[in-house]
Amino acid sequence: MSRVSIVGTGYVGLVTGACLAELGHQVVCVDVNHERVATINAGRTSFHEPGLDDLVRSHAGSKLVATLDVTEAVSGSDFIFLAVGTPSDPSGAIDLTQVKSAAEKVGAALANSSQWHVVVIKSTVIPGSTVDQIIPILESASGKKAGIGFGVVVNPEFLTEGTALSDFMLPDRIVLGGSDEKSLQQVKGLYRAFDHVPFVLTNPGGAEMIKYASNTLLATLISFSNEIADIGSAIGGIDVAEVMEGVALSRYLTSEGERAPIASFIEAGCGFGGSCLPKDTAALLAEGARAGADANLLRAVLDVNRARPQRLVDLIRRHTPDLNGVTVAVLGLAFKPDTDDVRESPSLPVISLLLAAGAVVITHDPVVHSDSMPAELRTQVRHIEDLPEVIRVADILVIMTRWSEYLKVPELLAGLDSPPLVIDGRRMLTPDSVPRYDGIGLGSDQS
Ligand code: UGA
């Protein structure tokens, strides 16, 4: 059993803290927000993640406690995790304000401790941040040298919203980038429950880059697939869904009849969103430019992605050139199914473009409520929670999120006198399942 502090109790911090408590460690969560601290101590969580409530409830007050006091938490801990937010600034670069402020406080607490502590960087920080910015702050605030007076290890998270607990408890790999061998081995020991999975031991920059390279690989595959869709459509008569099925069956992506999980990132559609892929791609591009490496590929990945909403609206206009007064239902606001997160969701720019074209916009989502939409959009659309009612009033249905509920669309359209046109932004329905259908990359553009 180790003693662990987690500074920052947002999504990543709380999942990490609750899972480390579940593994038997003694965890103290630290936050500047009184309400969050009180909520955790009361055995509750302030956001939705399957299973997290139960875990926090069962460990709160025993293996999991929360406090506002960094100094006390640090002095009683072997490991101090920094898990604060790293939002984007307007240029796409990440904003390290919260990380720097947390490092400052942790450093000051280290100054007053005579014990050895390891600071673990869990927040996603751009390669170079730990060595160039975080360690110098920790050193100057503590008056000690990293690797001698205290340890520093970068340990990126690979949590996906909706499956964060199983991602933590059943990891595919554990990446550790250390300032010194002793700290690396100690953090490895903290994760001894996962001895059966590969550990990647590297330096801080290498660990930071593994996180960015992992996410930008996924973003690149998605934009690649979207570009193949556009080229196929421009040539005419080439259906990207068939093409990608043929690609996925290669031995690189399918083995003994089993599809490799990476093949789920070659689905062309209306683009990637969420809090990770767009932000991480933009941040690595910005850092590359700052450091003198022009990341042409990453720039193109973002350009292709930014063009997806317009591309979808162009497809709608191929069928209905004048959208003025036409009722268009946007099916799906979440950036992906099984989450209520609308951050960077391609649905939002699609709604703006439809409104600008004069369409009457209806929105629907199985879990997202209209109040999660930015205020300027919310007031201009009608949100209807009942899917059959949406279908009754819409001239055009645009599928934006791959919610399983939308597989019911063909059934709901059956028997209607004048069924709406379905534009499938995720290619989740078969073209002949509804009377009037078109989809991204179907190749019908030239016909
Ligand atoms: C992503 C990574 O998948 C996780 O491995 C990583 O840990 C996480 O970021 C993180 O850095 O925290 P997430 O953003 O939750 O996870 O969602 P994804 O499942 O990667 O989907 C991202 C977007 O890509 C969604 O909008 C989805 O609709 C879109 N997408 C996905 C496509 O447009 N096409 C595809 O073929 C696959």
Side-chain angles (χ1 to χ4, degrees), residues 5-235:
S5 297
I6 313 270
V7 181
T9 61
Y11 183 77
V12 170
L14 190 55
V15 168
T16 304
C19 289
L20 287 172
E22 177 73 5
L23 290 177
H25 301 298
Q26 190 62 50
V27 179
V28 181
C29 288
V30 189
D31 209 291
V32 289
N33 183 321
H34 289 69
E35 219 176 288
R36 277 194 181 171
V37 167
T39 307
I40 297 167
N41 283 331
R44 289 183 283 111
T45 61
S46 37
F47 47 82
H48 173 73
E49 177 61 34
L52 186 60
D53 260 338
D54 290 345
L55 216 53
V56 171
R57 195 178 316 115
S58 68
H59 295 299
S62 54
K63 289 201 164 327
L64 186 70
V65 295
T67 177
L68 294 162
D69 189 341
V70 188
T71 313
E72 195 191 307
V74 167
S75 62
S77 300
D78 310 304
F79 300 95
I80 302 123
F81 279 65
L82 299 192
V84 292
T86 49
S88 298
D89 76 10
S91 74
I94 58 163
D95 174 355
L96 284 179
T97 310
Q98 292 179 48
V99 177
K100 288 179 177 169
S101 141
E104 188 81 46
K105 291 179 195 156
V106 169
L110 291 177
N112 298 321
S113 173
S114 53
Q115 295 168 49
W116 170 261
H117 305 269
V118 181
V119 180
V120 181
I121 314 297
K122 205 47 156 164
S123 303
T124 297
V125 293
I126 203 75
S129 304
T130 298
V131 168
D132 297 341
Q133 305 199 53
I134 303 172
I135 289 180
I137 293 173
L138 288 168
E139 287 182 334
S140 95
S142 66
K144 298 178 181 175
K145 283 280 313 148
I148 299 165
F150 62 94
V152 177
V153 171
V154 175
N155 170 219
E157 52 88 12
F158 300 101
L159 306 175
T160 306
E161 278 177 45
T163 58
L165 297 197
S166 60
D167 290 343
F168 190 99
M169 290 301 193
L170 302 168
D172 40 18
R173 80 284 211 201
I174 292 180
V175 175
L176 304 176
S179 61
D180 62 286
E181 191 55 30
K182 174 175 156 190
S183 316
L184 272 178
Q185 292 306 328
Q186 286 176 334
V187 180
K188 198 172 171 213
L190 179 72
Y191 287 121
R192 78 174 58 86
F194 305 130
D195 263 357
H196 53 287
V197 305
F199 277 74
V200 182
L201 302 186
T202 174
N203 58 16
E208 291 161 336
M209 189 59 120
I210 287 170
K211 167 73 185 183
Y212 278 89
S214 298
N215 275 356
T216 53
L217 169 67
L218 304 180
T220 303
L221 282 179
I222 299 168
S223 280
F224 164 78
S225 311
N226 285 328
E227 196 160 272
I228 293 292
D230 288 355
I231 297 170
S233 291
I235 294 169

Side-chain angles (χ1 to χ4, degrees), residues 200-343:
V200 182
L201 302 186
T202 174
N203 58 16
E208 291 161 336
M209 189 59 120
I210 287 170
K211 167 73 185 183
Y212 278 89
S214 298
N215 275 356
T216 53
L217 169 67
L218 304 180
T220 303
L221 282 179
I222 299 168
S223 280
F224 164 78
S225 311
N226 285 328
E227 196 160 272
I228 293 292
D230 288 355
I231 297 170
S233 291
I235 294 169
I238 297 171
D239 179 352
V240 73
E242 288 174 5
V243 170
M244 287 314 189
E245 175 64 15
V247 171
L249 284 169
S250 89
R251 68 172 64 93
Y252 305 119
L253 295 170
T254 302
S255 169
E256 293 174 7
E258 281 279 318
R259 192 64 51 95
I262 190 87
S264 66
F265 286 90
I266 58 168
E267 284 160 5
C270 45
F272 59 80
S275 61
C276 305
L277 302 192
K279 177 186 133 186
D280 291 353
T281 311
L284 196 55
L285 172 64
E287 182 59 15
R290 194 206 57 77
D294 202 10
N296 287 323
L297 179 61
L298 296 184
R299 183 174 304 110
V301 166
L302 286 178
D303 286 348
V304 168
N305 198 52
R306 263 188 227 111
R308 294 324 280 165
Q310 183 65 57
R311 177 88 199 142
L312 192 77
V313 173
D314 289 348
L315 185 64
I316 301 171
R317 293 184 101 150
R318 195 157 288 127
H319 296 267
T320 309
D322 182 5
L323 286 171
N324 203 20
V326 174
T327 303
V328 183
V330 173
L331 302 187
L333 294 172
F335 82 96
K336 66 172 189 178
D338 305 319
T339 173
D340 59 358
D341 195 343
V342 298
R343 281 177 290 176

